[in-house]
Amino acid sequence: MATQFATQPSKQRWAEMEEEDGEDLDFLLPPKQVIGPDVNGIKKVIEYKFNEDGNKVKITTTTRTRKLANARLSKQAVERRSWPKFGDAVHEDVGSRLTMVSTEEILLERPRAPGSKPEEAKAAGDPLSQMSKGGAVLMVCRTCGKKGDHWTSRCPYKDLAQPSETYTDKPPGSELATAASGATKGAYVPPGMRGGAAERTGSDMRRRNDENSVRVTNLSEDTREPDLLELFRPFGAVSRVYVAIDQKTSMSRGFGFVNFVNREDAQRAINKLNGYGYDNLILRVEWATPRTN
DNA sequence: GTTGAGCGC
């Protein structure tokens, strides 16, 4: 090759010619042909090109024009186009095609965007304090301030008294005590947890927190521990949140546990959140049986 | 249908 160039410097290889002067060779090709569009909207374009090897190639492109797309509309759709215009388009010609672009601002927020929860929880500290947060959303619960999850009327916390934080601030006969005792019926209470909390002595209350363990099942697979904490925190001090993770797939197994410092808070959470729709699923919230090891 | 990890004298 090198010697070729040396003896015949003006002669170039095909490949090089095509790269550098390819456009100039187009005159060697037959002209581009356009056929149609026919009655069906089919349009054919026949072109000729040189391929990589320098050979002439015929390229046929078949396209459908918009006319065909219209022709394929249902008869009803076509008929609708002849209807008189109404509304803002009332002054338009019958045959005119008018597309209205809404200027209304519609803000959509993914209610549970991945990773949004922990920061939000950290920043707000408490879901109840999120009420003061600004921002345009479609749905903001006026009771708990949670956005995009439920309306005020569906809020699981809506008729909930302030969560109890300590053991000593609950006078007997208060709304809290009433709610706790009234809600007990129907729900399974493990033997170790039976009996009113008010009757408990100081030593009973110093039980391990695991005793106030609440099992949450039917969680959506993208529910994480911060989400559970956010969901259960309004009922009272939460000592532990756990979401079971499949070791193989590292996906949620759809259940978890929440431990409350106070048993009665756990009971109220069970009463309020069992059967509560969360992420399109109906939660099951019950007392957890002690873990077996 | 659905009930947790890991520690290791």
Side-chain angles (χ1 to χ4, degrees), chain A residues 23-37:
Chain A
E23 296 301 315
D24 297 338
L25 292 169
D26 284 352
F27 72 91
L28 293 171
L29 297 167
K32 178 173 156 183
Q33 276 179 275
V34 180
I35 303 166

Side-chain angles (χ1 to χ4, degrees), chain A residues 177-197:
Chain A
T178 318
S181 60
T184 312
K185 65 177 160 192
Y188 170 72
V189 178
M193 295 177 194
R194 285 174 194 164

Side-chain angles (χ1 to χ4, degrees), chain A residues 109-120 222 224 227 279:
Chain A
E109 176 173 290
R110 289 187 60 191
R112 309 186 62 255
S116 67
K117 287 290 175 64
E119 289 81 355
E120 199 174 85
D222 59 348
R224 288 157 207 263
D227 305 326
D279 267 359

Side-chain angles (χ1 to χ4, degrees), chain A residues 44-287:
Chain A
K44 274 187 183 174
V45 177
I46 300 169
E47 289 174 286
Y48 298 87
K49 274 188 183 173
F50 287 113
N51 68 5
E52 300 153 0
D53 302 323
N55 295 319
K56 219 184 325 182
V57 183
K58 179 182 176 183
I59 299 168
T60 305
T61 314
T62 306
T63 51
R64 271 180 186 157
T65 65
R66 191 168 273 274
K67 263 187 179 174
L68 177 65
N70 290 345
R72 288 166 63 89
L73 287 172
S74 71
K75 279 179 185 169
Q76 293 94 323
V78 173
E79 192 191 319
R80 279 200 294 276
R81 293 196 170 164
S82 64
W83 288 3
K85 300 292 182 193
F86 57 93
D88 290 345
V90 74
H91 299 302
E92 299 291 326
D93 291 341
V94 164
S96 77
R97 303 270 232 98
L98 180 67
T99 302
M100 297 295 292
V101 178
S102 171
T103 56
E104 185 186 355
E105 197 174 345
I106 300 170
L107 293 155
L108 299 176
E109 176 173 290
R110 289 187 60 191
R112 309 186 62 255
S116 67
K117 287 290 175 64
E119 289 81 355
E120 199 174 85
K122 257 179 238 158
D126 186 305
L128 292 166
S129 70
Q130 289 178 20
M131 262 192 283
S132 56
K133 285 179 92 178
V137 286
L138 288 173
M139 185 165 46
V140 179
C141 173
R142 285 200 299 270
T143 300
C144 73
K146 194 166 159 69
K147 291 178 275 187
D149 195 64
H150 55 252
W151 296 105
T152 306
S153 59
R154 306 286 305 268
C155 179
Y157 317 123
K158 73 170 190 287
D159 51 354
L160 196 65
Q162 283 292 75
S164 56
E165 291 292 343
T166 66
Y167 301 113
T168 55
D169 65 350
K170 294 182 290 294
S174 72
E175 200 180 331
L176 278 173
T178 318
S181 60
T184 312
K185 65 177 160 192
Y188 170 72
V189 178
M193 295 177 194
R194 285 174 194 164
E199 298 160 15
R200 301 206 163 215
T201 64
S203 63
D204 278 336
M205 288 183 184
R206 264 181 256 112
R207 282 174 178 278
R208 280 182 23 232
N209 290 337
D210 278 355
E211 294 295 324
N212 300 324
S213 192
V214 172
R215 183 186 82 231
V216 189
T217 52
N218 217 22
L219 290 169
S220 72
E221 63 181 16
D222 59 348
T223 304
R224 288 157 207 263
E225 283 161 7
D227 305 326
L228 272 197
L229 178 61
E230 186 184 343
L231 189 65
F232 282 84
R233 180 57 253 271
F235 295 95
V238 171
S239 57
R240 186 187 68 135
V241 175
Y242 176 88
V243 169
I245 299 292
D246 187 296
Q247 293 300 103
K248 263 187 163 181
T249 65
S250 66
M251 298 278 277
S252 165
R253 292 175 62 188
F255 68 90
F257 297 90
V258 177
N259 288 66
F260 281 87
V261 173
N262 299 310
R263 181 195 154 278
E264 61 271 33
D265 292 338
Q267 183 63 66
R268 288 186 305 142
I270 290 168
N271 296 334
K272 284 295 173 192
L273 293 181
N274 187 29
Y276 172 63
Y278 186 69
D279 267 359
N280 307 319
L281 293 175
I282 306 297
L283 287 189
R284 279 186 61 174
V285 184
E286 297 155 297
W287 287 111

